[in-house]
Amino acid sequence: MPKRRLSFFVVIAVLAILLLTLPFTGSVLVDWWWFKEIGYEVVYTQELVTRSLLFLVVGAIAGAWVFLNLRVAHRGVVPYPIVLTLGPAATALNVTTWLRRLTLPAALFIGVVLGLGVSPSWDVVLQAIHRTPFGVVDPVFGHDIGFYVFSLPALSALLGLLLTLVVISLVLLMPVYWSRGDIIARPWNLRIEPSAGLHLSILLAGGFLLTAVRLWVVDVPSLLYSSTGPLIGASYTDLHARLPALQLSAVVAVGAAALVAIGGARRMLARYGVWAIAGYVAVAILARGAFPFVMQKLIVAPTELTRETPYLKYHIAATRRAWGLDSVETKELNGEASLTLADIRANAPTVENVRLWDRAPLLQTFGQLQEIRTYYEFVSVDDDRYWIDGKYRQVLLSPRELNIGALPTRTFINDHLTFTHGMGITLGPVNQVTSEGLPVLFVKDLPPVSNVSLKVTRPQIYYGELADNYVFVGTKQREFDHPEGETNVYAAYGGTGGVQVGDILRRAILAARFGSSKILFSQDITNQSRVLFYRNIMERAKRALPFLQFDRDPYLVVGGDGSLQWILDAYTTTDLYPYSQPLGDGTTYMRNSVKLVIDAYNGTLTAYVSAPADPLIQTWAKIFPGIFVPIDSMPAGLRAHIRYPDDIYRVQTALYTTYHMEAPEDFYHREDQWQIPVVAESTGSIPFMRHIIMRLPEEKAAEFIYMVPFTPRGKDNLAAWMVARSDGAEYGKLRVYRLSRQSLVYGPQQIENRINQDTEISRQVSLWDQRGSKVIRGDLLVIPIEKSFLYVQPLYLQAEGGRIPELKRVVVAYQNQVVMQETLDAALAQLFGGAPGPKARPSDSTAAASAPTGGMDFQSSLAEARRRFAAAIQAQRDGDWAKYGEEIKQLGQILQRLGPVATPSRAKADSAKR
């Protein structure tokens, strides 16, 4: 009977353990299946194995160390144990015996805690093992930068762990020896039994030696992260006061270790130990605290620039190198050239791609015109460029994703089996407008229809920015594909994504992982069905490559084969680059080392190395072999759409406002500091940054660039502008155009003020506002042309209660001129010669009523004028300025011939109206 009871309890215990560990085990297995699906098993296994080994090795060593020290302390018989009497029954508690029984549990507990504490440092250990030199040495100690990035963190962690073990051992041994009577404390007297004193002296001496090593090996190099003085990095005080103080402290720590060892050997640990600790603390306070403070205040501060000049050079050079600013190409633009109509025509690709549609108004318009069903949603709008019908066009596109929360009926079948994916994109040029003020769309509707050379052949979006739930494909339920009129079209998933459901055991594990018993019991899910999860592209990327940082703005691309592909920019970062200026989160180095491509249909991930010279990505490639591929292997249809990433460009431009000053004197005084102008939006003021297709000064072809203007600090005129290039062999290059200080070039804020002060514009805006409509002022665009600038601002009108903004006017500013017209072409014509077209094209009946009936010659001339006028307007829309000029010239000649006849007719018409 007892055996049966024992067996029963064993079974119950095993089942309880299985039930408790099933969720964790299921999660581990499902994640393993997922990593196997995407082909990144090495990432999962390498991290898991390294974490496990660290836990086991460190836990075993720590537990064994603590256990050994406690067993040594508990050796022999205690003649006079401490006994405590507890409770009214006067129960006696032998403290010594009780502490001896806790030896093994305490050792196990400490081993587990330290093992768990160290296991998250798996990446530090692997980077130290597979480290790659930077090929650049620090200017103070001569170490390669790789020592600071890879080796120093590992050394610091190792020494910190050893010191922690020593301290824990000392803390645990003190009550043990006290309970045995080996330590007796009396006022002004501490007696320690010789064997206990020897044991404690060995540990204390070891602690001092480890402290000395840490001071010399870790703290001395860490001076290069100091924030003393006017820079980040080792300053004058650090190298002339703190450095010798650290070295002196290390020597004193070695002396303290020797003194403690002597005290233990002479059975005088209490006295020698107090002297050692007091001496070390005194040196630390005086040498490492007071001495540097006095030097900084009395010696350095009065002549700071003189003494800090060499270290400012180190700081500036390291910051520029760490943030990629040392390779910025600088060009001077002397004065602002006057633009002519010929210059506008010569820069036709720039003018043709001026962005008249802002993302926010366009996103509203897409949502109203192209969502089609309530459960579709446009999340964001992205800039890109395509060759369309033989022309290089800048476009704005947005994916139509499925918002599962907007389904009219939320059930397991609807959420996870039927409605599984978004559908297609909406894409249009940045500068074309319909007669109703709405955007022209090249790709639209469901299924996507294209009226240009760009085609979408696989429009389904199973992986996107909104997809955050799991779905099953290949089930007995039909998958909704897209609506078609009053009916729905269904289609089966034909991709390669997903984890196969498999047998009943796998299904049970999946049910436990996703917390739904319906997965286990559903008759619609078969063994051949597959489950797609981690479908949010940002979450998918972070799980697959957890050691990289990702840009906030992923973008969708139509590949050369018509498929939809997401591109995410990934960064390698560190906060350990010496002398470099850190960000708010401590990052001191960043490279856009990876372009991650995620197929919107299959979910496959391909990580292309875009910065092969980066030591960090080289190190990660050694740790995880086979997951990175060279960017040269990227298909041409995708390679043509990579762009300079947003996050790193924002950081670089913000730093460059200060770090373009390389002379220490200029940097110290900030006499030429710049700032990035800001523009007001509904979400607040944001930096002025725009993607543009334009031909850079002295370049032959137009290209896709990311442009940022700079103004002097505290002023509004332009000082310079920076471009990040994205096309072809020029990808990744930064160039700054500096403007002459002797000439005044209006900045964005000054142009905004001039627009606000223009009476005609103010009158029109006020008139619209009075009628209940809402005027939305678009982004003010800075368009560099040759060595001058155009400013363009679209104006949108949104009806009261309406949600579709319409483009109504375009404001163009050049130097001190501001004009507003219905089209960009008309505004440019008004600024640079010629007359803008009429606001509304007259109907044939109106033209006939106002025309005299003076014979066939007049009628044929009038018809010819109409034809020339229509051709000129079409040329304006097409951006063909040469043809536009020729047609206007011919029209002028025709009107001159008609003038003597037409004038009386116009006068009679005016009289009749009066």
Side-chain angles (χ1 to χ4, degrees):
M1 188 67 177
K3 289 184 178 180
R4 289 182 179 179
R5 286 182 178 178
L6 181 62
S7 301
F8 174 76
F9 286 125
V10 169
V11 171
I12 294 298
V14 170
L15 288 175
I17 293 173
L18 288 176
L19 288 174
L20 290 174
T21 59
L22 182 60
F24 172 76
T25 306
S27 180
V28 170
L29 280 175
V30 172
D31 282 348
W32 163 249
W33 296 339
W34 181 78
F35 273 97
K36 190 175 181 181
E37 173 217 337
I38 65 173
Y40 280 37
E41 304 100 309
V42 64
V43 176
Y44 190 71
T45 55
Q46 188 74 283
E47 178 181 348
L48 185 63
V49 169
T50 306
R51 281 177 177 270
S52 302
L53 286 176
L54 283 174
F55 171 76
L56 293 174
V57 171
V58 172
I61 292 175
W65 171 265
V66 171
F67 182 78
L68 179 62
N69 278 276
L70 291 177
R71 291 297 295 173
V72 170
H74 283 297
R75 70 196 180 284
V77 179
V78 181
Y80 305 105
I82 296 178
V83 178
L84 299 179
T85 303
L86 303 175
T91 303
L93 176 65
N94 190 322
V95 176
T96 305
T97 304
W98 183 72
L99 290 177
R100 182 182 290 113
R101 291 174 180 173
L102 289 177
T103 297
L104 182 59
L108 291 175
F109 175 77
I110 291 170
V112 170
V113 170
L114 288 182
L116 291 174
V118 171
S119 61
S121 300
W122 64 273
D123 54 340
V124 175
V125 174
L126 290 178
Q127 286 186 91
I129 295 172
H130 300 279
R131 61 190 177 275
T132 303
F134 275 64
V136 178
V137 298
D138 78 86
V140 176
F141 302 114
H143 298 307
D144 185 271
I145 301 301
F147 166 77
Y148 297 92
V149 175
F150 302 122
S151 303
L152 191 60
L155 289 172
S156 177
L158 176 61
L159 291 171
L161 175 64
L162 296 177
L163 271 172
T164 300
L165 283 174
V166 169
V167 171
I168 289 175
S169 299
L170 287 170
V171 170
L172 292 177
L173 289 174
M174 296 299 287
V176 171
Y177 280 124
W178 170 79
S179 69
R180 293 170 55 89
D182 293 335
I183 296 178
I184 301 175
R186 295 190 179 93
W188 303 103
N189 184 24
L190 181 66
R191 188 184 70 81
I192 303 176
E193 191 271 334
S195 61
L198 183 61
H199 186 188
L200 293 174
S201 67
I202 292 174
L203 289 175
L204 194 57
F208 273 119
L209 288 176
L210 287 172
T211 300
V213 174
R214 182 179 179 84
L215 286 168
W216 202 278
V217 175
V218 175
D219 291 357
V220 167
S222 296
L223 287 174
L224 271 61
Y225 305 120
S226 171
S227 57
T228 304
L231 60 117
I232 299 296
S235 62
Y236 184 93
T237 299
D238 292 318
L239 296 181
H240 292 83
R242 285 194 171 85
L243 176 59
L246 287 171
Q247 293 170 336
L248 176 62
S249 294
V251 173
V252 171
V254 173
L259 189 61
V260 167
I262 293 172
R266 293 184 176 183
R267 302 183 178 184
M268 301 176 66
L269 176 61
R271 180 181 301 177
Y272 281 63
V274 170
W275 289 351
I277 294 173
Y280 177 79
V281 171
V283 170
I285 293 174
L286 294 175
R288 291 157 56 188
F291 178 46
F293 177 80
V294 171
M295 175 175 283
Q296 180 68 27
K297 293 296 183 183
L298 301 182
I299 298 176
V300 177
T303 56
E304 189 173 56
L305 177 58
T306 301
R307 296 185 183 276
E308 301 288 14
T309 293
Y311 313 110
L312 283 171
K313 289 181 180 178
Y314 299 158
H315 171 65
I316 294 169
T319 299
R320 288 172 60 88
R321 189 166 50 245
W323 292 103
L325 302 178
D326 56 333
S327 59
V328 174
E329 180 185 6
T330 303
K331 289 186 175 291
E332 302 289 337
L333 294 179
N334 298 320
E336 184 180 12
S338 296
L339 289 180
T340 64
L341 187 59
D343 294 323
I344 300 297
R345 291 173 177 170
N347 288 271
T350 301
V351 176
E352 290 171 2
N353 287 286
V354 171
R355 198 178 85 182
L356 299 181
W357 284 104
D358 290 350
R359 294 187 182 189
L362 191 63
L363 190 61
Q364 292 184 52
T365 304
F366 281 175
Q368 292 300 306
L369 300 181
Q370 284 291 306
E371 282 185 357
I372 300 177
R373 292 288 178 90
T374 57
Y375 41 77
Y376 287 127
E377 185 173 335
F378 293 103
V379 180
S380 61
V381 177
D382 292 310
D383 286 276
D384 208 343
R385 71 282 193 199
Y386 289 86
W387 282 96
I388 297 177
D389 296 334
K391 285 189 175 183
Y392 197 45
R393 304 294 299 269
Q394 184 174 349
V395 300
L396 290 166
L397 65 90
S398 183
R400 185 185 292 103
E401 297 199 52
L402 179 69
N403 182 0
I404 203 73
L407 289 176
T409 305
R410 300 293 304 277
T411 64
F412 177 80
I413 291 177
N414 278 350
D415 288 3
H416 302 292
L417 276 67
T418 300
F419 292 91
T420 57
H421 58 274
M423 188 66 176
I425 63 171
T426 297
L427 179 148
V430 296
N431 65 330
Q432 285 187 248
V433 187
T434 67
S435 58
E436 294 83 12
L438 299 176
V440 171
L441 301 179
F442 288 163
V443 181
K444 59 183 178 179
D445 298 339
L446 286 175
V449 177
S450 173
N451 54 22
V452 294
S453 57
L454 181 67
K455 305 297 181 184
V456 179
T457 59
R458 197 174 61 198
Q460 292 83 4
I461 301 175
Y462 282 84
Y463 300 86
E465 293 181 273
L466 270 185
D468 59 357
N469 67 322
Y470 63 91
V471 297
F472 288 87
V473 295
T475 67
K476 295 179 181 179
Q477 283 288 332
R478 294 187 301 170
E479 284 185 57
F480 171 78
D481 194 56
H482 65 272
E484 191 172 90
E486 298 300 321
T487 62
N488 293 330
V489 176
Y490 295 87
Y493 179 68
T496 59
V499 171
Q500 186 172 348
V501 173
D503 57 26
I504 188 64
L505 178 59
R506 286 173 63 98
R507 184 182 291 212
I509 292 173
L510 289 171
R513 167 64 178 79
F514 296 115
S516 175
S517 60
K518 293 182 176 66
I519 297 175
L520 185 61
F521 300 112
S522 174
Q523 298 299 312
D524 293 318
I525 301 174
T526 68
N527 291 352
Q528 285 70 42
S529 300
R530 279 179 286 167
V531 56
L532 281 57
F533 55 103
Y534 298 146
R535 298 193 302 131
N536 180 280
I537 55 171
M538 192 62 74
E539 180 187 14
R540 194 173 184 84
K542 290 179 178 179
R543 284 187 175 273
L545 301 169
F547 47 89
L548 298 179
Q549 303 294 321
F550 288 90
D551 194 273
R552 75 185 79 178
D553 186 22
Y555 53 99
L556 191 67
V557 169
V558 181
D561 58 354
S563 63
L564 299 180
Q565 308 281 340
W566 292 97
I567 298 182
L568 292 81
D569 287 289
Y571 306 104
T572 48
T573 63
T574 181
D575 57 358
L576 296 170
Y577 198 103
Y579 267 114
S580 175
Q581 179 67 28
L583 303 182
D585 62 356
T587 302
T588 54
Y589 173 94
M590 178 183 282
R591 288 291 183 274
N592 175 217
S593 298
V594 174
K595 303 285 186 182
L596 181 65
V597 177
I598 301 179
D599 190 293
Y601 188 72
N602 293 312
T604 53
L605 295 89
T606 309
Y608 297 95
V609 176
S610 54
D614 173 38
L616 283 170
I617 201 61
Q618 292 178 18
T619 299
W620 288 118
K622 295 176 188 175
I623 296 172
F624 303 115
I627 67 170
F628 297 110
V629 295
I631 198 167
D632 292 339
S633 62
M634 179 182 285
L638 293 179
R639 185 78 179 269
H641 296 283
I642 62 173
R643 68 188 189 194
Y644 202 89
D646 183 68
D647 284 354
I648 192 172
Y649 192 51
R650 289 177 183 272
V651 173
Q652 289 175 316
T653 52
L655 289 172
Y656 198 77
T657 58
T658 301
Y659 288 89
H660 70 276
M661 298 178 286
E662 297 186 66
E665 296 83 359
D666 297 340
F667 181 87
Y668 182 82
H669 295 299
R670 301 292 201 271
E671 64 178 40
D672 190 27
Q673 187 168 5
W674 298 340
Q675 64 187 14
I676 300 174
V678 297
V679 292
E681 289 196 355
S682 58
T683 56
S685 296
I686 62 172
F688 194 104
M689 310 177 74
R690 299 290 181 268
H691 286 99
I692 306 173
I693 285 182
M694 65 167 292
R695 183 174 67 83
L696 295 173
E698 301 177 6
E699 297 291 339
K700 295 181 179 180
E703 56 187 288
F704 188 67
I705 57 98
Y706 201 1
M707 185 265 191
V708 173
F710 297 115
T711 61
R713 184 180 60 175
K715 296 183 179 180
D716 294 328
N717 59 289
L718 277 184
W721 50 287
M722 176 186 279
V723 296
R725 308 173 73 179
S726 296
D727 285 354
E730 306 303 325
Y731 172 81
K733 295 181 180 179
L734 301 179
R735 181 182 290 180
V736 169
Y737 293 92
R738 299 177 64 110
L739 306 179
S740 172
R741 293 189 182 184
Q742 280 67 47
S743 61
L744 175 65
V745 179
Y746 290 133
Q749 188 58 54
Q750 292 170 316
I751 294 297
E752 281 276 11
N753 294 337
R754 295 188 68 86
I755 293 174
N756 293 335
Q757 294 165 4
D758 187 276
T759 55
E760 175 60 24
I761 297 175
S762 298
R763 184 192 65 79
Q764 184 63 66
V765 170
S766 299
L767 183 61
W768 281 329
D769 284 334
Q770 290 172 4
R771 292 177 178 175
S773 298
K774 178 183 178 182
V775 177
I776 302 173
R777 302 184 65 160
D779 293 344
L780 181 65
L781 306 176
V782 182
I783 312 296
I785 295 182
E786 300 299 340
K787 296 183 180 181
S788 190
F789 298 90
L790 283 178
Y791 286 88
V792 177
Q793 184 176 51
L795 298 182
Y796 310 97
L797 195 62
Q798 185 171 317
E800 185 177 5
R803 298 180 61 185
I804 303 180
E806 299 176 1
L807 179 62
K808 286 300 182 184
R809 294 290 187 274
V810 179
V811 179
V812 179
Y814 169 63
Q815 294 181 345
N816 60 351
Q817 305 175 66
V818 178
V819 300
M820 181 175 69
Q821 290 291 340
E822 292 186 359
T823 65
L824 175 63
D825 299 327
L828 292 175
Q830 183 175 343
L831 278 175
F832 298 106
K839 292 186 179 180
R841 188 174 173 182
S843 65
D844 292 340
S845 59
T846 305
S850 61
T853 57
M856 291 298 296
D857 289 341
F858 176 82
Q859 294 295 336
S860 61
S861 296
L862 185 59
E864 176 68 8
R866 288 176 184 166
R867 189 179 66 80
R868 293 289 184 185
F869 174 76
I873 292 300
Q874 186 61 43
Q876 283 181 336
R877 292 173 179 167
D878 295 340
D880 190 344
W881 291 99
K883 183 178 180 182
Y884 171 79
E886 181 62 26
E887 295 294 342
I888 289 295
K889 179 180 177 181
Q890 295 294 331
L891 179 60
Q893 294 175 358
I894 295 171
L895 292 177
Q896 285 181 355
R897 294 198 306 269
L898 291 175
V901 183
T903 302
S905 175
R906 188 178 300 112
K908 289 179 182 178
D910 292 341
S911 298
K913 289 180 181 179
R914 289 194 292 269

